[in-house]
Amino acid sequence: MKILVPIKRVVDYNVKIRVKSDQTGVDLANVKMSMNPFDEIAVEEAIRLKEAGKATEVIAVSIGVQQTTETIRTALAMGADRGILVKTDETVEPLNVAKILKAIAEEEKPDLIILGKQAIDDDCNQTGQMLAAILGWAQGTFASKVELEGGKLKLTREIDGGLQTLMLSMPAVVTTDLRLNEPRYASLPNIMKAKKKPIDEKSPSDYGVDVKARLEVLKVTEPPQRQAGIKVESVEQLVSKLKEAGVIG
Ligand code: AMP
């Protein structure tokens, strides 16, 4: 079984986001970038399937600027076998990402594609669903457990108020939820080994995809500043303030 794992380079989740003063987007100058956390979970799941003898090859693919190679190297250090960088300086919208991934899937013929459920920069939560649709493959989103059973994929999904279990025929597209696993840190020897693993460099036009944006961002703004609270002198004052605010009767 061959597994394709699409990974996105995003602003690190610990970074305090700064909006550009002209409101055209987020300031990326001198900002730490990392692999999208849900994609780390996807890489981990693919590697675990390989370690369990159920997968033969794990390919990490990313669409982005040249520095995205570093993100692919992280996936290789975690245990992926090889990488594909589809290099572009454009911001690529989910539908175009899905079109490029479809072309790669047709070339590589994976049995399974595991994506993150959403990228923490655009919060789109679209790419996996679009990819499954245009490939015509089965899809299982927000997976919290993935098991192979008789050539099929048994998938547990987190839904409102409970869990849903699905049986998917392969090839399939799966997207990861937070509780699927805890991604490993790459060890130093594996970081060294990853330097020798191959990364193919391609461009969107190699896959016949025009990445021109269809959406126009009108503006990006900071969330409103929180109002400062007040200090109360006593429990009685607290109770009367809560009554005034209608929080208690
Ligand atoms: P989104 O639909 O933008 O929230 O992204 C969902 C998932 O699609 C991510 O977690 C990645 O697995 C994948 N993805 C999105 N953008 C890219 C990209 N530029 N390169 C590779 N994978 C991506």
mmCIF file of all heavy atoms in Angstrom, residues 6-9 36 38-39 61-64 92 94 97 101 114-129, ligand 1:
data_model
loop_
_atom_site.group_PDB
_atom_site.id
_atom_site.type_symbol
_atom_site.label_atom_id
_atom_site.label_comp_id
_atom_site.label_asym_id
_atom_site.label_seq_id
_atom_site.Cartn_x
_atom_site.Cartn_y
_atom_site.Cartn_z
ATOM 1 N N PRO A 6 -0.201 14.991 1.829
ATOM 2 C CA PRO A 6 -0.015 16.402 1.498
ATOM 3 C C PRO A 6 0.209 17.214 2.774
ATOM 4 O O PRO A 6 -0.551 17.101 3.739
ATOM 5 C CB PRO A 6 -1.341 16.792 0.834
ATOM 6 C CG PRO A 6 -1.985 15.479 0.463
ATOM 7 C CD PRO A 6 -1.556 14.532 1.542
ATOM 8 N N ILE A 7 1.278 18.008 2.791
ATOM 9 C CA ILE A 7 1.593 18.800 3.985
ATOM 10 C C ILE A 7 1.725 20.265 3.605
ATOM 11 O O ILE A 7 2.245 20.595 2.542
ATOM 12 C CB ILE A 7 2.891 18.301 4.668
ATOM 13 C CG1 ILE A 7 4.061 18.275 3.671
ATOM 14 C CG2 ILE A 7 2.695 16.916 5.279
ATOM 15 C CD1 ILE A 7 5.393 17.890 4.299
ATOM 16 N N LYS A 8 1.268 21.148 4.472
ATOM 17 C CA LYS A 8 1.337 22.580 4.175
ATOM 18 C C LYS A 8 2.265 23.288 5.161
ATOM 19 O O LYS A 8 2.257 22.976 6.347
ATOM 20 C CB LYS A 8 -0.067 23.202 4.247
ATOM 21 C CG LYS A 8 -0.104 24.630 3.758
ATOM 22 C CD LYS A 8 -1.508 25.202 3.728
ATOM 23 C CE LYS A 8 -1.487 26.568 3.060
ATOM 24 N NZ LYS A 8 -2.778 27.249 3.170
ATOM 25 N N ARG A 9 3.054 24.229 4.637
ATOM 26 C CA ARG A 9 3.921 25.063 5.480
ATOM 27 C C ARG A 9 3.089 26.264 5.908
ATOM 28 O O ARG A 9 2.578 27.008 5.063
ATOM 29 C CB ARG A 9 5.123 25.494 4.636
ATOM 30 C CG ARG A 9 6.118 26.388 5.316
ATOM 31 C CD ARG A 9 7.261 26.632 4.345
ATOM 32 N NE ARG A 9 8.322 27.423 4.918
ATOM 33 C CZ ARG A 9 8.441 28.728 4.767
ATOM 34 N NH1 ARG A 9 7.558 29.396 4.061
ATOM 35 N NH2 ARG A 9 9.454 29.367 5.319
ATOM 36 N N ASN A 36 1.889 22.321 9.156
ATOM 37 C CA ASN A 36 0.552 22.419 9.729
ATOM 38 C C ASN A 36 0.339 21.269 10.728
ATOM 39 O O ASN A 36 0.582 20.104 10.383
ATOM 40 C CB ASN A 36 -0.450 22.336 8.563
ATOM 41 C CG ASN A 36 -1.881 22.468 9.017
ATOM 42 O OD1 ASN A 36 -2.203 23.303 9.849
ATOM 43 N ND2 ASN A 36 -2.734 21.626 8.475
ATOM 44 N N PHE A 38 -2.090 19.491 11.875
ATOM 45 C CA PHE A 38 -2.909 18.344 11.458
ATOM 46 C C PHE A 38 -2.168 17.476 10.426
ATOM 47 O O PHE A 38 -2.429 16.284 10.302
ATOM 48 C CB PHE A 38 -4.247 18.818 10.871
ATOM 49 C CG PHE A 38 -5.152 19.429 11.906
ATOM 50 C CD1 PHE A 38 -5.372 20.790 11.947
ATOM 51 C CD2 PHE A 38 -5.778 18.630 12.862
ATOM 52 C CE1 PHE A 38 -6.197 21.362 12.912
ATOM 53 C CE2 PHE A 38 -6.607 19.187 13.832
ATOM 54 C CZ PHE A 38 -6.814 20.553 13.855
ATOM 55 N N ASP A 39 -1.230 18.106 9.695
ATOM 56 C CA ASP A 39 -0.457 17.357 8.695
ATOM 57 C C ASP A 39 0.630 16.521 9.365
ATOM 58 O O ASP A 39 0.997 15.454 8.870
ATOM 59 C CB ASP A 39 0.166 18.309 7.660
ATOM 60 C CG ASP A 39 -0.891 19.192 7.017
ATOM 61 O OD1 ASP A 39 -2.084 18.951 7.250
ATOM 62 O OD2 ASP A 39 -0.524 20.126 6.296
ATOM 63 N N VAL A 61 4.066 15.420 0.045
ATOM 64 C CA VAL A 61 4.005 16.393 -1.044
ATOM 65 C C VAL A 61 3.556 17.737 -0.508
ATOM 66 O O VAL A 61 2.671 17.813 0.348
ATOM 67 C CB VAL A 61 3.075 15.897 -2.191
ATOM 68 C CG1 VAL A 61 1.760 15.405 -1.688
ATOM 69 C CG2 VAL A 61 2.836 16.978 -3.225
ATOM 70 N N SER A 62 4.210 18.796 -0.984
ATOM 71 C CA SER A 62 3.796 20.128 -0.553
ATOM 72 C C SER A 62 3.841 21.103 -1.716
ATOM 73 O O SER A 62 4.707 21.014 -2.583
ATOM 74 C CB SER A 62 4.697 20.621 0.584
ATOM 75 O OG SER A 62 4.099 21.744 1.178
ATOM 76 N N ILE A 63 2.883 22.007 -1.712
ATOM 77 C CA ILE A 63 2.800 23.033 -2.750
ATOM 78 C C ILE A 63 3.106 24.355 -2.061
ATOM 79 O O ILE A 63 2.394 24.731 -1.117
ATOM 80 C CB ILE A 63 1.376 23.054 -3.363
ATOM 81 C CG1 ILE A 63 1.071 21.682 -3.971
ATOM 82 C CG2 ILE A 63 1.218 24.177 -4.379
ATOM 83 C CD1 ILE A 63 -0.367 21.287 -3.917
ATOM 84 N N GLY A 64 4.163 25.029 -2.506
ATOM 85 C CA GLY A 64 4.515 26.278 -1.837
ATOM 86 C C GLY A 64 5.838 26.831 -2.321
ATOM 87 O O GLY A 64 6.406 26.355 -3.313
ATOM 88 N N VAL A 92 -1.944 29.427 -3.116
ATOM 89 C CA VAL A 92 -2.735 28.458 -3.876
ATOM 90 C C VAL A 92 -4.001 28.090 -3.090
ATOM 91 O O VAL A 92 -3.921 27.606 -1.971
ATOM 92 C CB VAL A 92 -1.908 27.198 -4.221
ATOM 93 C CG1 VAL A 92 -2.679 26.297 -5.174
ATOM 94 C CG2 VAL A 92 -0.568 27.589 -4.842
ATOM 95 N N PRO A 94 -7.567 26.133 -2.048
ATOM 96 C CA PRO A 94 -7.840 24.693 -1.895
ATOM 97 C C PRO A 94 -8.214 23.952 -3.192
ATOM 98 O O PRO A 94 -7.723 22.851 -3.425
ATOM 99 C CB PRO A 94 -8.985 24.661 -0.888
ATOM 100 C CG PRO A 94 -8.709 25.850 -0.018
ATOM 101 C CD PRO A 94 -8.179 26.903 -0.949
ATOM 102 N N VAL A 97 -5.079 23.397 -5.068
ATOM 103 C CA VAL A 97 -4.263 22.395 -4.364
ATOM 104 C C VAL A 97 -4.833 21.014 -4.698
ATOM 105 O O VAL A 97 -4.091 20.093 -5.064
ATOM 106 C CB VAL A 97 -4.273 22.624 -2.827
ATOM 107 C CG1 VAL A 97 -3.567 21.474 -2.112
ATOM 108 C CG2 VAL A 97 -3.623 23.950 -2.473
ATOM 109 N N LEU A 101 -3.005 17.855 -6.499
ATOM 110 C CA LEU A 101 -2.906 16.569 -5.800
ATOM 111 C C LEU A 101 -3.567 15.451 -6.623
ATOM 112 O O LEU A 101 -3.099 14.315 -6.628
ATOM 113 C CB LEU A 101 -3.549 16.655 -4.408
ATOM 114 C CG LEU A 101 -2.843 17.591 -3.415
ATOM 115 C CD1 LEU A 101 -3.634 17.677 -2.116
ATOM 116 C CD2 LEU A 101 -1.415 17.121 -3.131
ATOM 117 N N ILE A 114 -3.655 10.811 2.970
ATOM 118 C CA ILE A 114 -4.043 11.319 4.292
ATOM 119 C C ILE A 114 -3.666 12.793 4.376
ATOM 120 O O ILE A 114 -2.490 13.156 4.254
ATOM 121 C CB ILE A 114 -3.351 10.554 5.454
ATOM 122 C CG1 ILE A 114 -3.406 9.039 5.237
ATOM 123 C CG2 ILE A 114 -3.994 10.931 6.787
ATOM 124 C CD1 ILE A 114 -2.755 8.222 6.367
ATOM 125 N N LEU A 115 -4.675 13.654 4.551
ATOM 126 C CA LEU A 115 -4.441 15.092 4.678
ATOM 127 C C LEU A 115 -4.822 15.528 6.087
ATOM 128 O O LEU A 115 -5.488 14.791 6.820
ATOM 129 C CB LEU A 115 -5.324 15.891 3.706
ATOM 130 C CG LEU A 115 -5.270 15.595 2.220
ATOM 131 C CD1 LEU A 115 -6.325 14.577 1.865
ATOM 132 C CD2 LEU A 115 -5.494 16.867 1.409
ATOM 133 N N GLY A 116 -4.448 16.766 6.437
ATOM 134 C CA GLY A 116 -4.949 17.357 7.665
ATOM 135 C C GLY A 116 -6.396 17.759 7.447
ATOM 136 O O GLY A 116 -6.807 17.995 6.319
ATOM 137 N N LYS A 117 -7.172 17.859 8.537
ATOM 138 C CA LYS A 117 -8.572 18.278 8.331
ATOM 139 C C LYS A 117 -8.658 19.752 7.948
ATOM 140 O O LYS A 117 -9.560 20.157 7.250
ATOM 141 C CB LYS A 117 -9.434 17.986 9.551
ATOM 142 C CG LYS A 117 -9.273 18.927 10.728
ATOM 143 C CD LYS A 117 -10.409 18.732 11.719
ATOM 144 C CE LYS A 117 -10.200 19.619 12.935
ATOM 145 N NZ LYS A 117 -11.213 19.407 13.961
ATOM 146 N N GLN A 118 -7.679 20.552 8.403
ATOM 147 C CA GLN A 118 -7.649 21.941 7.960
ATOM 148 C C GLN A 118 -6.262 22.537 8.181
ATOM 149 O O GLN A 118 -5.510 22.053 9.027
ATOM 150 C CB GLN A 118 -8.722 22.779 8.643
ATOM 151 C CG GLN A 118 -8.435 23.150 10.067
ATOM 152 C CD GLN A 118 -9.670 23.769 10.719
ATOM 153 O OE1 GLN A 118 -10.738 23.188 10.735
ATOM 154 N NE2 GLN A 118 -9.503 24.958 11.249
ATOM 155 N N ALA A 119 -5.984 23.545 7.368
ATOM 156 C CA ALA A 119 -4.723 24.264 7.540
ATOM 157 C C ALA A 119 -4.993 25.392 8.520
ATOM 158 O O ALA A 119 -5.996 26.096 8.390
ATOM 159 C CB ALA A 119 -4.252 24.801 6.193
ATOM 160 N N ILE A 120 -4.093 25.567 9.524
ATOM 161 C CA ILE A 120 -4.396 26.553 10.574
ATOM 162 C C ILE A 120 -4.196 27.992 10.118
ATOM 163 O O ILE A 120 -4.480 28.908 10.859
ATOM 164 C CB ILE A 120 -3.599 26.278 11.881
ATOM 165 C CG1 ILE A 120 -2.079 26.369 11.629
ATOM 166 C CG2 ILE A 120 -3.972 24.935 12.499
ATOM 167 C CD1 ILE A 120 -1.283 26.510 12.918
ATOM 168 N N ASP A 121 -3.697 28.194 8.886
ATOM 169 C CA ASP A 121 -3.577 29.588 8.427
ATOM 170 C C ASP A 121 -4.862 30.079 7.761
ATOM 171 O O ASP A 121 -5.398 31.113 8.110
ATOM 172 C CB ASP A 121 -2.356 29.782 7.505
ATOM 173 C CG ASP A 121 -2.315 28.809 6.343
ATOM 174 O OD1 ASP A 121 -3.198 27.933 6.239
ATOM 175 O OD2 ASP A 121 -1.386 28.923 5.518
ATOM 176 N N ASP A 122 -5.422 29.278 6.823
ATOM 177 C CA ASP A 122 -6.645 29.746 6.157
ATOM 178 C C ASP A 122 -7.912 29.132 6.766
ATOM 179 O O ASP A 122 -9.017 29.570 6.464
ATOM 180 C CB ASP A 122 -6.583 29.488 4.644
ATOM 181 C CG ASP A 122 -6.386 28.020 4.300
ATOM 182 O OD1 ASP A 122 -6.714 27.148 5.139
ATOM 183 O OD2 ASP A 122 -5.920 27.732 3.182
ATOM 184 N N ASP A 123 -7.752 28.088 7.605
ATOM 185 C CA ASP A 123 -8.905 27.419 8.232
ATOM 186 C C ASP A 123 -9.968 27.002 7.215
ATOM 187 O O ASP A 123 -11.157 27.010 7.529
ATOM 188 C CB ASP A 123 -9.562 28.341 9.283
ATOM 189 C CG ASP A 123 -8.892 28.211 10.636
ATOM 190 O OD1 ASP A 123 -8.133 27.253 10.840
ATOM 191 O OD2 ASP A 123 -9.144 29.082 11.492
ATOM 192 N N CYS A 124 -9.556 26.634 6.004
ATOM 193 C CA CYS A 124 -10.545 26.367 4.950
ATOM 194 C C CYS A 124 -11.316 25.056 5.165
ATOM 195 O O CYS A 124 -12.514 24.999 4.960
ATOM 196 C CB CYS A 124 -9.873 26.328 3.585
ATOM 197 S SG CYS A 124 -9.613 27.957 2.908
ATOM 198 N N ASN A 125 -10.608 23.991 5.568
ATOM 199 C CA ASN A 125 -11.247 22.685 5.730
ATOM 200 C C ASN A 125 -11.972 22.276 4.440
ATOM 201 O O ASN A 125 -13.170 21.986 4.434
ATOM 202 C CB ASN A 125 -12.193 22.731 6.946
ATOM 203 C CG ASN A 125 -12.978 21.449 7.158
ATOM 204 O OD1 ASN A 125 -12.767 20.453 6.472
ATOM 205 N ND2 ASN A 125 -13.886 21.466 8.105
ATOM 206 N N GLN A 126 -11.254 22.336 3.314
ATOM 207 C CA GLN A 126 -11.877 22.070 2.013
ATOM 208 C C GLN A 126 -11.088 21.083 1.163
ATOM 209 O O GLN A 126 -11.683 20.344 0.373
ATOM 210 C CB GLN A 126 -11.974 23.381 1.204
ATOM 211 C CG GLN A 126 -12.895 24.399 1.808
ATOM 212 C CD GLN A 126 -12.843 25.726 1.071
ATOM 213 O OE1 GLN A 126 -12.006 25.940 0.189
ATOM 214 N NE2 GLN A 126 -13.717 26.624 1.431
ATOM 215 N N THR A 127 -9.755 21.095 1.297
ATOM 216 C CA THR A 127 -8.922 20.421 0.297
ATOM 217 C C THR A 127 -9.201 18.919 0.214
ATOM 218 O O THR A 127 -9.364 18.378 -0.888
ATOM 219 C CB THR A 127 -7.427 20.687 0.596
ATOM 220 O OG1 THR A 127 -7.256 22.090 0.779
ATOM 221 C CG2 THR A 127 -6.543 20.215 -0.520
ATOM 222 N N GLY A 128 -9.253 18.240 1.365
ATOM 223 C CA GLY A 128 -9.494 16.789 1.361
ATOM 224 C C GLY A 128 -10.815 16.435 0.698
ATOM 225 O O GLY A 128 -10.886 15.530 -0.141
ATOM 226 N N GLN A 129 -11.853 17.187 1.058
ATOM 227 C CA GLN A 129 -13.184 16.902 0.505
ATOM 228 C C GLN A 129 -13.205 17.144 -1.010
ATOM 229 O O GLN A 129 -13.754 16.344 -1.773
ATOM 230 C CB GLN A 129 -14.236 17.808 1.178
ATOM 231 C CG GLN A 129 -14.454 17.523 2.654
ATOM 232 C CD GLN A 129 -13.518 18.325 3.562
ATOM 233 O OE1 GLN A 129 -12.377 18.595 3.217
ATOM 234 N NE2 GLN A 129 -13.996 18.684 4.742
HETATM 235 P P1 AMP B 1 -7.387 23.485 3.954
HETATM 236 O O1 AMP B 1 -8.483 22.933 3.089
HETATM 237 O O2 AMP B 1 -6.680 24.681 3.340
HETATM 238 O O3 AMP B 1 -7.878 23.796 5.371
HETATM 239 O O4 AMP B 1 -6.255 22.350 4.084
HETATM 240 C C1 AMP B 1 -6.559 21.019 4.442
HETATM 241 C C2 AMP B 1 -5.380 20.117 4.193
HETATM 242 O O5 AMP B 1 -5.025 20.106 2.790
HETATM 243 C C3 AMP B 1 -4.073 20.479 4.909
HETATM 244 O O6 AMP B 1 -4.075 20.017 6.252
HETATM 245 C C4 AMP B 1 -3.036 19.764 4.032
HETATM 246 O O7 AMP B 1 -3.007 18.369 4.314
HETATM 247 C C5 AMP B 1 -3.624 19.943 2.618
HETATM 248 N N1 AMP B 1 -3.068 21.156 1.975
HETATM 249 C C6 AMP B 1 -3.619 22.401 1.938
HETATM 250 N N2 AMP B 1 -2.809 23.263 1.291
HETATM 251 C C7 AMP B 1 -1.706 22.552 0.912
HETATM 252 C C8 AMP B 1 -0.492 22.868 0.213
HETATM 253 N N3 AMP B 1 -0.241 24.098 -0.234
HETATM 254 N N4 AMP B 1 0.401 21.865 0.011
HETATM 255 C C9 AMP B 1 0.152 20.614 0.456
HETATM 256 N N5 AMP B 1 -0.950 20.260 1.120
HETATM 257 C C10 AMP B 1 -1.877 21.201 1.356
#
